[in-house]
Amino acid sequence: MKSEFTSRLIKIEAVLHTYIPTHANPEWKALSFGTIDSCIQDSHITPLIQPCKNLIDLGGKRWRPLLLVLCAELASQAQKKSHDECSAAIEKAYTLTPLVEFAHTASLIHDDIEDCADTRRGEVAAHIAYGLDVALNAASWLYFEAATCIKQVPASEQAALYELFLTEMRRLHLGQAMDILWHRNPRLIPSIDEYRAMVHNKTGTLSRLAVKLGLLAGGASAEQAEQAGVYAEEIGLGFQIIDDVINLTTGNPGKKRGDDIVEGKKSLPVLYHLAENNQDKNHLATLFELARTEGIDSPAVEEAISLLTSSHAIEKAAQEGTEIIQKASTSLASLFGTGDSEARTLILDLFAALQSKAQ
């Protein structure tokens, strides 16, 4: 990781730990809950904090909050703001990073519950470690907790930020609803356009939120932020495709190879295979059903992967994901032109590094 990224990531971590501390200090409690009954103890609040903080502390790429900050720098440099104005804009961007990282964390906990997944980032999933009721409640709370950081920006900007955040959260849940509909029914196959629409919302919404928050913090216009959001959701689509490919090849870090088959995911390799081999639809659906019943060690998992490999559907999806990321990230970085800009260079370097790690 470039040293320019490391210094920013250290600051992002500090902000995240301020907004979700290890222990519920008085200042944090006042920001989060306002005035609460004196009989409420820290032990009552811990079931909210602990499952969320544990997952955050396990790491993650943090590329979305990093992208948020870099977009603020990109917009600030393009606006030719003074040093003090740039510094204020970038500080505002750091303040807003919990909006994307906390929402991402909450979505992972809910995703694992909905997919019946047993691990996350190499550890036991939150609903298994803490219980379904605790994990479900804590993740729901974290969506709302994320928005407390908006209180720290000027009052004149808060309404627009709340509207942006809430709209993107509604879209995230729309995408998840589409995904659930398809993986609950092994024989229901979406179109490729429907798949892309689902990912634009379920995955792309957090990329879009990060980019739009950063650009607005840096002084970009609403129109510029909206255009950049289109590029960002395409980046999210590209990374989801790559993630789906990794699941079917080497296996995602902290997960098991082929667990998307167990969960019944209608990923792009599946759709590409069936587009050329519709006669395999019933057979593949049967493999999904067997995998779900028998678990990750079911022979049906490897049989399904072998089927998708034989048609080069996995290879085709990998190529498309890479091309999408390269095209959309170049468009995003060039939003204000292709002139010399540290932020523009770092945005391109960030996505090059992420793609390199995904290979």
Side-chain angles (χ1 to χ4, degrees):
M1 182 69 72
K2 292 172 69 72
S3 59
E4 292 90 344
F5 294 154
T6 302
S7 60
R8 290 167 173 83
L9 287 168
I10 289 172
K11 191 164 183 178
I12 287 169
E13 290 300 313
V15 172
L16 296 180
H17 284 86
T18 295
Y19 283 95
I20 187 164
T22 303
H23 303 291
N25 60 70
E27 293 80 10
W28 176 84
K29 284 192 284 189
L31 181 66
S32 181
F33 303 109
T35 302
I36 54 178
D37 295 293
S38 60
C39 64
I40 295 177
Q41 305 297 313
D42 287 355
S43 60
H44 299 133
I45 300 173
T46 297
L48 294 175
I49 295 177
Q50 195 171 12
C52 303
K53 183 166 175 55
N54 180 63
L55 184 52
I56 290 169
D57 288 347
L58 285 175
K61 299 182 184 72
R62 303 284 196 263
W63 67 267
R64 295 172 187 85
L66 178 56
L67 179 61
L68 190 161
V69 171
L70 292 176
C71 283
E73 294 177 15
L74 182 72
S76 295
Q77 292 167 12
Q79 305 295 320
K80 301 192 184 317
K81 293 178 178 289
S82 68
H83 175 75
D84 288 346
E85 288 173 328
C86 283
S87 295
I90 294 166
E91 285 303 312
K92 186 192 300 180
Y94 278 108
T95 298
L96 296 173
T97 55
L99 284 171
V100 289
E101 195 61 28
F102 287 2
H104 175 54
T105 302
S107 73
L108 294 180
I109 295 174
H110 279 170
D111 205 38
D112 287 341
I113 293 169
E114 292 159 355
D115 292 341
C116 300
D118 56 5
T119 60
R120 173 65 66 177
R121 293 177 178 164
E123 299 291 335
V124 176
H127 63 283
I128 296 175
Y130 298 98
L132 177 60
D133 50 355
V134 172
L136 187 62
N137 189 57
S140 297
W141 164 79
L142 190 58
Y143 281 121
F144 300 107
E145 184 65 19
T148 60
C149 65
I150 295 177
K151 297 179 183 180
Q152 307 303 322
V153 306
S156 60
E157 301 174 27
Q158 291 180 12
L161 292 174
Y162 279 122
E163 178 59 26
L164 170 59
F165 177 67
L166 293 172
T167 298
E168 297 298 349
M169 291 305 96
R170 291 191 291 269
R171 292 180 67 166
L172 184 153
H173 286 79
L174 168 61
Q176 183 71 343
M178 296 169 75
D179 197 24
I180 291 170
L181 173 66
W182 301 331
H183 78 235
R184 284 173 65 93
N185 186 343
R187 300 185 183 278
L188 181 58
I189 306 298
S191 70
I192 292 174
D193 283 345
E194 286 175 320
Y195 166 84
R196 291 193 177 110
M198 179 273 290
V199 178
H200 278 158
N201 288 286
K202 178 181 175 179
T203 306
T205 191
L206 292 173
S207 305
R208 189 169 55 241
L209 178 63
V211 164
K212 293 173 77 170
L213 286 170
L215 290 173
L216 292 173
S221 68
E223 292 75 19
Q224 289 167 327
E226 196 63 36
Q227 180 58 60
V230 175
Y231 303 143
E233 68 181 16
E234 281 291 286
I235 291 169
L237 171 63
F239 277 116
Q240 184 60 60
I241 293 171
I242 296 297
D243 193 65
D244 292 343
V245 167
I246 292 172
N247 185 277
L248 299 171
T249 52
T250 60
N252 304 101
K255 304 287 263 183
K256 296 178 181 177
R257 166 182 155 107
D259 63 357
D260 278 359
I261 302 297
V262 176
E263 294 166 11
K265 296 283 186 178
K266 309 300 168 47
S267 62
L268 192 59
V270 171
L271 301 182
Y272 274 156
H273 177 85
L274 293 178
E276 299 294 331
N277 303 276
N278 189 57
Q279 73 277 6
D280 289 338
K281 180 178 178 180
N282 288 333
H283 180 47
L284 198 54
T286 298
L287 293 176
F288 277 133
E289 291 170 339
L290 284 171
R292 176 168 291 244
T293 300
E294 298 173 356
I296 192 64
D297 296 321
S298 170
V301 173
E302 290 302 321
E303 186 176 348
I305 292 174
S306 178
L307 193 65
L308 300 176
T309 302
S310 68
S311 66
H312 303 288
I314 297 176
E315 182 182 336
K316 181 179 178 181
Q319 181 178 351
E320 178 170 337
T322 298
E323 290 174 353
I324 288 172
I325 295 168
Q326 291 174 345
K327 180 180 178 180
S329 61
T330 299
S331 296
L332 174 62
S334 304
L335 185 67
F336 300 102
T338 57
D340 186 29
S341 163
E342 180 188 21
R344 179 177 181 275
T345 299
L346 289 176
I347 288 172
L348 292 172
D349 288 347
L350 171 62
F351 289 115
L354 288 170
Q355 285 182 279
S356 176
K357 287 186 177 182
Q359 293 174 350

